[in-house]
Amino acid sequence: QRPAVPPRISAYEKPLNLPASNTNSALNYSESHRAAFLVAAIYSHPQSGIVVLDENSLLWEPIVFSLWSQQWPRLRRTFAFSTGSLGDRRLGGVAFDLQIAPFSSQRLWARRGPNTLVHEYSSKVPPALAPALVRIILDDLSAGSAGSLRTFLFNYGNDIKEPRAAFARLVRCFAEHEADEDNDSGSKLVRLATFFPEPADALNLKQDSLTALIGGADRSDLQQVWAAIYFLLESRDAVAFSHVPVDFSSYVRLLWRNKRADMLALLGRL
């Protein structure tokens, strides 16, 4: 509810009722294109403030709010946006992630200031992110609070240091998690370490991914367990998992009985 002028603080003591039927609806073509435009601009250049020039800012408001609602709490708290920037708000000392501004303000953004990318909105501009990732994000926007991507982001986003920069990488992790086509546990761990090389970054995601690989292994087939052990002890990328606790003790006897030569060879190299 927009603030009144003069403000009536007492109005904010009463809860607003939002019909549930309006919270989950598919994006129409125009909204989908605008949403894809914003997704590509915001998450392809996470270190830059994004300014989108368009005369009709009202069309952007529900889309911007949907994008913000899709973000997990840590990203929401740091994501500053304005859907009606008539002046250069950077001058106020706030590094805005996103501003929607009229074409008439274009000359203002040439001033020196925080890193800013200015885009004139056009229906002909293709998104810069991979189309498959954009589709996943848009499908989740249409699903609203019931979206599976949103659940994934809320579960694994809050222990990531640079949340906006990590958004696209988390979507890629989600896509791999949903597809589950690659049974090579070592490859999965290498990709995750590549996405989040800092040991203290994405700890929950690393922990759950490692646990799922080991816990889901058939005890008569130790290949997944051995691949995980080999990765953690031999791979240079394993430093990304150095803060993740892991316990292989329940597999020691099986490994010694079935993979003794491999264990001795690995220990010899170590």
Side-chain angles (χ1 to χ4, degrees):
Q1 180 171 332
R2 294 182 178 279
V5 180
R8 292 182 299 140
I9 303 301
S10 60
Y12 291 89
E13 297 177 352
K14 301 176 182 179
L16 296 176
N17 294 318
L18 179 65
S21 60
N22 292 338
T23 59
N24 297 327
S25 58
L27 301 172
N28 61 38
Y29 176 79
S30 175
E31 291 172 334
S32 293
H33 193 278
R34 288 174 185 269
F37 189 96
L38 283 187
V39 164
I42 293 170
Y43 299 125
S44 293
H45 307 282
Q47 307 302 329
S48 301
I50 304 299
V51 175
V52 177
L53 302 178
D54 192 8
E55 287 307 315
N56 195 338
S57 63
L58 291 177
L59 294 177
W60 293 94
E61 289 190 358
I63 298 168
V64 172
F65 185 74
S66 293
L67 289 173
W68 181 79
S69 298
Q70 186 184 51
Q71 298 172 350
W72 58 95
R74 187 170 187 175
L75 177 52
R76 286 186 189 179
R77 290 195 298 269
T78 60
F79 191 85
F81 63 90
S82 168
T83 58
S85 293
L86 299 179
D88 187 349
R89 291 177 179 258
R90 296 174 302 174
L91 301 180
V94 177
F96 276 78
D97 293 87
L98 172 65
Q99 298 184 72
I100 309 297
F103 287 112
S104 58
S105 68
Q106 186 171 15
R107 60 181 179 80
L108 298 176
W109 309 107
R111 299 171 178 170
R112 289 187 177 183
N115 186 18
T116 304
L117 296 178
V118 181
H119 299 277
E120 291 188 20
Y121 175 68
S122 168
S123 59
K124 297 181 180 179
V125 176
L129 284 182
L133 294 185
V134 173
R135 186 71 265 162
I136 291 172
I137 296 170
L138 296 188
D139 287 346
D140 185 80
L141 289 175
S142 293
S145 58
S148 53
L149 171 62
R150 190 166 317 203
T151 300
F152 185 89
L153 296 176
F154 273 58
N155 285 340
Y156 298 119
N158 281 331
D159 64 351
I160 291 176
K161 295 179 181 179
E162 298 182 357
R164 183 179 156 195
F167 191 96
R169 283 176 279 152
L170 280 175
V171 176
R172 290 188 180 94
C173 291
F174 168 79
E176 289 190 0
H177 174 78
E178 292 292 293
D180 196 26
E181 296 175 350
D182 187 355
N183 293 320
D184 184 348
S185 55
S187 296
K188 290 180 179 180
L189 297 178
V190 168
R191 286 196 296 274
L192 188 51
T194 302
F195 287 148
F196 301 101
E198 292 295 325
D201 219 9
L203 279 176
N204 289 330
L205 179 56
K206 292 172 183 174
Q207 176 74 72
D208 285 359
S209 298
L210 190 57
T211 300
L213 287 171
I214 299 171
D218 185 347
R219 296 188 70 85
S220 62
D221 179 9
L222 298 173
Q223 196 56 40
Q224 284 188 205
V225 175
W226 178 248
I229 292 174
Y230 190 89
F231 166 80
L232 292 172
L233 296 180
E234 181 77 349
S235 174
R236 293 180 179 179
D237 296 316
V239 67
F241 284 77
S242 60
H243 291 185
V244 178
V246 59
D247 183 5
F248 290 102
S249 60
S250 63
Y251 291 97
V252 170
R253 290 183 181 275
L254 285 172
L255 288 167
W256 185 246
R257 184 167 63 244
N258 297 290
K259 284 189 168 292
R260 184 173 306 183
D262 292 332
M263 291 182 69
L264 291 173
L266 177 58
L267 289 170
R269 284 196 300 276
L270 295 176

